[in-house]
Amino acid sequence: MVDVSSSAADFHAGFACFVGRPNVGKSTLMNALVGTKVAITSSKPQTTRRVIRGIVHRPDAQLIIVDTPGLHRPRTLLGERLDSLVLSTLTEVDVIGFCVPANEPIGKGDRFIAEKLAAVKKTPVVAVVTKCDLATREQIAALLIALSQLAEFAEIVPVSAKSGEQLDVLAGVLIDRLPASPPLYEGGQLTDEPEQVLVGELIREAALEGVRDELPHSIAVVVDEMLPREGRDDLLDIYAHMFVERPSQKAIVIGHKGSRLKDVGSRARQQIEALLGTRVYLDLRISVAKDWQRDPKQLRRLGFYD
Protein backbone atom coordinates (compact mmCIF):
# COMPACT_ATOMS: atom_id res chain seq x y z
CA MET A 1 0.00 0.00 0.00
CA VAL A 2 1.14 3.55 -0.76
CA ASP A 3 1.62 5.67 2.37
CA VAL A 4 -0.95 8.44 2.20
CA SER A 5 -0.44 9.75 5.74
CA SER A 6 0.76 13.10 4.36
CA SER A 7 -2.16 15.18 3.17
CA ALA A 8 -2.26 16.33 -0.44
CA ALA A 9 -2.05 19.93 0.78
CA ASP A 10 1.51 19.65 2.16
CA PHE A 11 2.89 16.85 -0.02
CA HIS A 12 3.85 17.12 -3.69
CA ALA A 13 4.32 14.30 -6.16
CA GLY A 14 4.71 14.18 -9.91
CA PHE A 15 6.86 13.53 -12.93
CA ALA A 16 9.96 15.21 -14.33
CA CYS A 17 11.44 14.23 -17.68
CA PHE A 18 15.12 14.53 -18.66
CA VAL A 19 15.68 15.21 -22.36
CA GLY A 20 18.75 16.05 -24.39
CA ARG A 21 20.81 14.82 -27.27
CA PRO A 22 22.53 11.43 -26.90
CA ASN A 23 25.30 11.04 -24.32
CA VAL A 24 24.76 14.23 -22.29
CA GLY A 25 24.55 12.38 -18.96
CA LYS A 26 20.78 11.99 -18.48
CA SER A 27 20.90 8.44 -17.12
CA THR A 28 23.89 9.16 -14.87
CA LEU A 29 22.06 12.19 -13.49
CA MET A 30 18.92 10.20 -12.78
CA ASN A 31 20.89 7.46 -11.01
CA ALA A 32 22.63 10.10 -8.87
CA LEU A 33 19.33 11.73 -7.85
CA VAL A 34 17.66 8.40 -7.07
CA GLY A 35 20.74 7.25 -5.16
CA THR A 36 21.12 3.91 -6.91
CA LYS A 37 21.50 2.49 -10.40
CA VAL A 38 18.15 2.22 -12.15
CA ALA A 39 19.31 3.09 -15.69
CA ILE A 40 22.36 1.81 -17.54
CA THR A 41 25.07 4.23 -18.55
CA SER A 42 27.77 4.16 -21.19
CA SER A 43 30.06 6.53 -23.05
CA LYS A 44 28.37 5.31 -26.23
CA PRO A 45 25.60 7.53 -27.67
CA GLN A 46 22.01 6.25 -27.68
CA THR A 47 22.55 3.84 -24.80
CA THR A 48 19.06 4.49 -23.38
CA ARG A 49 16.32 2.90 -25.48
CA ARG A 50 13.40 2.83 -23.08
CA VAL A 51 11.61 5.25 -20.83
CA ILE A 52 12.96 4.42 -17.37
CA ARG A 53 11.39 5.84 -14.21
CA GLY A 54 13.46 6.51 -11.11
CA ILE A 55 11.82 7.59 -7.86
CA VAL A 56 13.28 10.21 -5.50
CA HIS A 57 11.75 10.19 -2.01
CA ARG A 58 11.66 13.31 0.17
CA PRO A 59 9.78 13.84 3.46
CA ASP A 60 7.48 16.32 1.72
CA ALA A 61 7.62 15.12 -1.88
CA GLN A 62 8.01 12.28 -4.31
CA LEU A 63 9.78 13.10 -7.58
CA ILE A 64 9.46 10.53 -10.36
CA ILE A 65 12.21 11.12 -12.93
CA VAL A 66 11.58 9.85 -16.43
CA ASP A 67 14.81 9.15 -18.30
CA THR A 68 14.38 9.12 -22.08
CA PRO A 69 16.47 8.10 -25.09
CA GLY A 70 18.57 10.88 -26.60
CA LEU A 71 16.56 13.03 -28.99
CA HIS A 72 18.14 13.25 -32.45
CA ARG A 73 17.34 13.24 -36.15
CA PRO A 74 16.60 9.52 -36.70
CA ARG A 75 18.29 7.44 -39.41
CA THR A 76 16.54 4.11 -38.77
CA LEU A 77 13.06 2.87 -37.86
CA LEU A 78 14.39 2.24 -34.34
CA GLY A 79 15.53 5.88 -34.19
CA GLU A 80 12.11 7.08 -35.32
CA ARG A 81 10.39 5.04 -32.62
CA LEU A 82 12.77 6.29 -29.92
CA ASP A 83 12.16 9.91 -30.92
CA SER A 84 8.40 9.31 -30.94
CA LEU A 85 8.73 7.84 -27.44
CA VAL A 86 10.53 10.97 -26.20
CA LEU A 87 8.08 13.44 -27.77
CA SER A 88 5.05 11.63 -26.35
CA THR A 89 6.67 11.64 -22.89
CA LEU A 90 7.10 15.44 -22.98
CA THR A 91 3.33 15.93 -22.94
CA GLU A 92 2.80 13.66 -19.93
CA VAL A 93 5.12 15.19 -17.30
CA ASP A 94 4.88 18.14 -14.89
CA VAL A 95 8.33 19.61 -15.59
CA ILE A 96 11.05 19.02 -18.22
CA GLY A 97 14.80 19.02 -17.57
CA PHE A 98 16.70 19.97 -20.75
CA CYS A 99 20.21 18.53 -20.29
CA VAL A 100 23.23 20.18 -21.91
CA PRO A 101 26.83 19.18 -21.03
CA ALA A 102 29.04 21.91 -19.52
CA ASN A 103 32.15 20.79 -21.39
CA GLU A 104 30.67 21.24 -24.89
CA PRO A 105 29.31 24.34 -26.67
CA ILE A 106 25.67 24.45 -27.70
CA GLY A 107 25.31 22.76 -31.08
CA LYS A 108 22.77 21.92 -33.75
CA GLY A 109 21.40 19.01 -31.75
CA ASP A 110 20.70 21.23 -28.73
CA ARG A 111 18.98 23.84 -30.91
CA PHE A 112 16.91 21.10 -32.55
CA ILE A 113 15.68 19.95 -29.12
CA ALA A 114 15.09 23.53 -27.92
CA GLU A 115 12.77 24.01 -30.91
CA LYS A 116 10.85 20.85 -29.99
CA LEU A 117 10.54 22.03 -26.37
CA ALA A 118 9.26 25.44 -27.47
CA ALA A 119 6.21 23.65 -28.85
CA VAL A 120 5.39 22.20 -25.41
CA LYS A 121 3.61 25.32 -24.20
CA LYS A 122 2.17 24.40 -20.80
CA THR A 123 5.07 22.49 -19.24
CA PRO A 124 7.91 24.44 -17.52
CA VAL A 125 11.41 23.67 -18.84
CA VAL A 126 14.46 23.77 -16.55
CA ALA A 127 17.85 23.86 -18.30
CA VAL A 128 20.25 21.45 -16.56
CA VAL A 129 23.96 21.98 -17.22
CA THR A 130 25.46 18.50 -16.71
CA LYS A 131 29.06 17.27 -16.30
CA CYS A 132 30.24 20.45 -14.54
CA ASP A 133 33.13 18.45 -13.06
CA LEU A 134 34.57 18.19 -16.60
CA ALA A 135 34.38 21.93 -17.36
CA THR A 136 36.22 25.07 -16.28
CA ARG A 137 34.42 27.98 -14.58
CA GLU A 138 34.81 29.93 -17.82
CA GLN A 139 33.16 27.16 -19.86
CA ILE A 140 30.25 26.92 -17.42
CA ALA A 141 29.76 30.71 -17.38
CA ALA A 142 29.81 30.87 -21.19
CA LEU A 143 27.25 28.05 -21.42
CA LEU A 144 24.93 29.72 -18.89
CA ILE A 145 24.93 32.87 -21.02
CA ALA A 146 24.38 30.87 -24.24
CA LEU A 147 21.44 29.00 -22.68
CA SER A 148 19.81 32.22 -21.50
CA GLN A 149 19.97 33.41 -25.12
CA LEU A 150 18.75 30.10 -26.58
CA ALA A 151 15.32 30.08 -24.94
CA GLU A 152 13.35 31.31 -21.95
CA PHE A 153 13.84 28.64 -19.28
CA ALA A 154 12.08 28.49 -15.92
CA GLU A 155 15.53 28.05 -14.29
CA ILE A 156 19.08 27.16 -15.29
CA VAL A 157 20.86 24.80 -12.87
CA PRO A 158 24.49 23.64 -13.26
CA VAL A 159 25.16 20.22 -11.66
CA SER A 160 27.64 17.36 -11.45
CA ALA A 161 26.24 13.86 -11.04
CA LYS A 162 29.76 12.59 -10.36
CA SER A 163 30.61 14.95 -7.49
CA GLY A 164 27.02 15.50 -6.32
CA GLU A 165 27.35 19.26 -6.72
CA GLN A 166 23.96 21.05 -6.76
CA LEU A 167 21.93 17.81 -7.01
CA ASP A 168 19.81 18.87 -4.02
CA VAL A 169 19.27 22.25 -5.65
CA LEU A 170 18.10 20.61 -8.89
CA ALA A 171 15.76 18.23 -7.02
CA GLY A 172 14.27 21.21 -5.17
CA VAL A 173 13.77 23.20 -8.38
CA LEU A 174 11.96 20.25 -9.99
CA ILE A 175 9.87 19.48 -6.89
CA ASP A 176 8.75 23.13 -6.69
CA ARG A 177 6.95 22.57 -9.99
CA LEU A 178 5.09 19.40 -8.98
CA PRO A 179 1.39 19.43 -8.08
CA ALA A 180 0.06 18.85 -4.57
CA SER A 181 -0.57 15.11 -4.41
CA PRO A 182 -0.22 12.11 -2.10
CA PRO A 183 2.70 9.74 -2.87
CA LEU A 184 2.31 7.81 -6.12
CA TYR A 185 4.66 4.92 -5.24
CA GLU A 186 5.52 2.94 -2.10
CA GLY A 187 8.19 4.41 0.17
CA GLY A 188 11.03 2.01 -0.65
CA GLN A 189 10.38 1.72 -4.38
CA LEU A 190 13.14 3.21 -6.54
CA THR A 191 11.85 2.28 -10.01
CA ASP A 192 8.76 0.73 -11.59
CA GLU A 193 10.74 -1.14 -14.23
CA PRO A 194 10.17 -4.93 -14.25
CA GLU A 195 13.23 -6.85 -13.02
CA GLN A 196 13.42 -8.72 -16.32
CA VAL A 197 13.83 -5.44 -18.24
CA LEU A 198 16.49 -4.17 -15.81
CA VAL A 199 18.42 -7.44 -16.13
CA GLY A 200 18.33 -7.20 -19.94
CA GLU A 201 19.63 -3.63 -19.76
CA LEU A 202 22.52 -4.64 -17.45
CA ILE A 203 23.53 -7.35 -19.94
CA ARG A 204 23.46 -4.80 -22.78
CA GLU A 205 25.53 -2.37 -20.72
CA ALA A 206 28.19 -5.06 -20.17
CA ALA A 207 28.19 -5.82 -23.89
CA LEU A 208 28.66 -2.14 -24.79
CA GLU A 209 31.96 -1.84 -22.93
CA GLY A 210 34.90 -1.79 -25.32
CA VAL A 211 33.10 -2.59 -28.58
CA ARG A 212 33.63 -0.68 -31.80
CA ASP A 213 31.66 2.48 -32.41
CA GLU A 214 29.23 0.97 -34.91
CA LEU A 215 28.22 -1.92 -32.67
CA PRO A 216 26.24 -0.34 -29.77
CA HIS A 217 23.21 0.51 -31.91
CA SER A 218 23.12 -3.06 -33.20
CA ILE A 219 22.94 -4.84 -29.83
CA ALA A 220 19.59 -5.84 -28.32
CA VAL A 221 18.96 -8.18 -25.38
CA VAL A 222 15.87 -10.21 -24.50
CA VAL A 223 15.58 -12.06 -21.19
CA ASP A 224 13.64 -15.22 -22.01
CA GLU A 225 13.30 -16.65 -18.52
CA MET A 226 14.13 -15.92 -14.87
CA LEU A 227 13.35 -18.56 -12.29
CA PRO A 228 14.73 -19.95 -9.00
CA ARG A 229 16.89 -23.08 -9.35
CA GLU A 230 14.84 -26.12 -8.36
CA GLY A 231 15.69 -27.14 -4.80
CA ARG A 232 17.71 -23.94 -4.22
CA ASP A 233 16.41 -20.71 -2.72
CA ASP A 234 19.78 -18.95 -3.05
CA LEU A 235 20.26 -19.23 -6.83
CA LEU A 236 18.39 -17.67 -9.76
CA ASP A 237 18.67 -19.08 -13.29
CA ILE A 238 18.51 -16.43 -16.01
CA TYR A 239 18.30 -17.31 -19.70
CA ALA A 240 18.99 -14.36 -22.00
CA HIS A 241 19.50 -13.83 -25.71
CA MET A 242 21.64 -11.11 -27.29
CA PHE A 243 20.93 -10.06 -30.88
CA VAL A 244 23.19 -8.30 -33.38
CA GLU A 245 22.57 -7.42 -37.03
CA ARG A 246 25.45 -9.12 -38.87
CA PRO A 247 27.65 -12.22 -38.50
CA SER A 248 30.75 -9.98 -38.31
CA GLN A 249 29.24 -8.26 -35.24
CA LYS A 250 28.51 -11.61 -33.66
CA ALA A 251 32.19 -12.51 -34.06
CA ILE A 252 33.22 -9.24 -32.36
CA VAL A 253 30.99 -9.88 -29.35
CA ILE A 254 32.06 -13.51 -29.00
CA GLY A 255 35.75 -12.64 -29.26
CA HIS A 256 38.73 -14.99 -29.58
CA LYS A 257 37.62 -18.47 -28.48
CA GLY A 258 34.57 -16.95 -26.75
CA SER A 259 36.65 -14.81 -24.39
CA ARG A 260 34.72 -11.60 -24.93
CA LEU A 261 31.26 -13.15 -24.50
CA LYS A 262 32.47 -14.86 -21.32
CA ASP A 263 33.70 -11.52 -20.00
CA VAL A 264 30.36 -9.85 -20.86
CA GLY A 265 28.51 -12.60 -18.99
CA SER A 266 30.77 -12.34 -15.95
CA ARG A 267 30.44 -8.54 -15.64
CA ALA A 268 26.69 -8.65 -16.26
CA ARG A 269 26.24 -11.37 -13.64
CA GLN A 270 28.01 -9.27 -10.99
CA GLN A 271 25.74 -6.29 -11.71
CA ILE A 272 22.62 -8.48 -11.73
CA GLU A 273 23.54 -10.08 -8.40
CA ALA A 274 24.03 -6.61 -6.90
CA LEU A 275 20.62 -5.53 -8.26
CA LEU A 276 18.67 -8.62 -7.16
CA GLY A 277 20.57 -9.47 -3.97
CA THR A 278 20.97 -13.14 -4.85
CA ARG A 279 23.42 -15.44 -6.62
CA VAL A 280 22.77 -15.80 -10.34
CA TYR A 281 23.50 -18.36 -13.05
CA LEU A 282 23.43 -16.52 -16.39
CA ASP A 283 22.94 -18.47 -19.61
CA LEU A 284 23.74 -15.96 -22.39
CA ARG A 285 23.34 -16.81 -26.08
CA ILE A 286 23.95 -14.62 -29.14
CA SER A 287 22.21 -14.67 -32.53
CA VAL A 288 22.04 -12.62 -35.71
CA ALA A 289 18.76 -10.78 -36.43
CA LYS A 290 19.59 -9.19 -39.77
CA ASP A 291 18.96 -5.40 -39.92
CA TRP A 292 16.57 -5.57 -36.95
CA GLN A 293 16.69 -1.79 -36.45
CA ARG A 294 14.87 -1.34 -39.79
CA ASP A 295 12.47 -4.30 -39.61
CA PRO A 296 9.05 -3.57 -37.97
CA LYS A 297 8.40 -7.23 -37.19
CA GLN A 298 11.77 -7.77 -35.52
CA LEU A 299 11.49 -4.47 -33.62
CA ARG A 300 8.21 -5.67 -32.10
CA ARG A 301 9.76 -9.03 -31.21
CA LEU A 302 12.57 -7.20 -29.40
CA GLY A 303 10.14 -4.99 -27.48
CA PHE A 304 10.19 -1.77 -29.54
CA TYR A 305 6.57 -1.10 -30.39
CA ASP A 306 4.89 1.53 -32.57
Side-chain angles (χ1 to χ4, degrees):
M1 293 291 291
V2 174
D3 179 11
V4 292
S5 56
S6 298
S7 69
D10 58 12
F11 197 92
H12 290 75
F15 295 84
C17 173
F18 285 156
V19 296
R21 53 187 167 81
N23 203 28
V24 295
K26 299 182 298 295
S27 299
T28 302
L29 181 58
M30 183 178 77
N31 289 341
L33 285 166
V34 173
T36 193
K37 185 173 187 170
V38 293
I40 70 170
T41 59
S42 170
S43 60
K44 308 295 182 186
Q46 291 175 253
T47 299
T48 302
R49 286 183 179 160
R50 303 178 189 276
V51 170
I52 306 286
R53 294 182 184 89
I55 304 161
V56 180
H57 298 276
R58 292 281 186 92
D60 60 346
Q62 192 176 79
L63 171 66
I64 299 99
I65 301 171
V66 185
D67 183 32
T68 61
L71 198 55
H72 63 297
R73 296 185 188 276
R75 293 190 295 271
T76 65
L77 182 56
L78 172 64
E80 289 177 14
R81 291 197 178 169
L82 296 184
D83 270 15
S84 177
L85 189 65
V86 177
L87 295 173
S88 65
T89 302
L90 295 180
T91 64
E92 300 168 356
V93 297
D94 302 295
V95 57
I96 298 167
F98 173 35
C99 297
V100 181
N103 60 333
E104 300 175 29
I106 288 175
K108 289 182 179 179
D110 302 309
R111 293 189 182 91
F112 170 73
I113 296 168
E115 289 174 10
K116 296 286 186 183
L117 294 178
V120 187
K121 300 293 185 184
K122 295 182 180 180
T123 308
V125 179
V126 173
V128 185
V129 179
T130 61
K131 303 185 181 182
C132 283
D133 54 289
L134 300 179
T136 64
R137 285 176 176 271
E138 291 75 18
Q139 282 178 303
I140 296 170
L143 189 60
L144 293 177
I145 293 170
L147 280 169
S148 67
Q149 296 170 345
L150 180 65
E152 192 170 328
F153 297 107
E155 300 242 15
I156 302 176
V157 185
V159 300
S160 168
K162 186 174 181 180
S163 71
E165 183 182 0
Q166 295 245 107
L167 289 182
D168 281 346
V169 172
L170 175 61
V173 165
L174 298 175
I175 286 169
D176 284 346
R177 287 159 177 81
L178 300 183
S181 165
L184 302 173
Y185 290 90
E186 294 182 5
Q189 193 172 354
L190 298 177
T191 182
D192 62 358
E193 277 297 296
E195 286 184 345
Q196 213 153 314
V197 171
L198 291 172
V199 166
E201 289 291 88
L202 289 175
I203 294 169
R204 187 163 64 91
E205 180 182 50
L208 287 174
E209 292 304 313
V211 296
R212 295 179 187 175
D213 288 342
E214 78 274 9
L215 203 56
H217 314 296
S218 300
I219 296 175
V221 177
V222 174
V223 176
D224 298 314
E225 200 171 18
M226 285 174 54
L227 69 168
R229 175 76 59 88
E230 189 173 347
R232 297 272 299 271
D233 57 6
D234 64 337
L235 184 63
L236 189 69
D237 289 330
I238 298 176
Y239 297 89
H241 220 120
M242 190 187 312
F243 294 91
V244 293
E245 293 188 295
R246 298 189 295 277
S248 59
Q249 295 171 340
K250 180 178 178 180
I252 292 170
V253 176
I254 292 174
H256 181 62
K257 295 184 177 179
S259 60
R260 170 147 186 76
L261 186 61
K262 183 178 179 181
D263 183 54
V264 168
S266 176
R267 281 187 285 114
R269 181 175 50 78
Q270 291 174 18
Q271 293 278 357
I272 295 166
E273 288 180 341
L275 172 73
L276 302 179
T278 185
R279 290 183 61 203
V280 162
Y281 166 77
L282 177 60
D283 183 290
L284 182 58
R285 310 291 174 94
I286 182 167
S287 298
V288 175
K290 187 177 179 184
D291 294 329
W292 66 263
Q293 292 185 77
R294 294 170 172 80
D295 184 337
K297 186 181 292 186
Q298 294 198 84
L299 280 171
R300 285 193 293 273
R301 184 163 67 96
L302 295 172
F304 302 104
Y305 302 99
D306 299 331

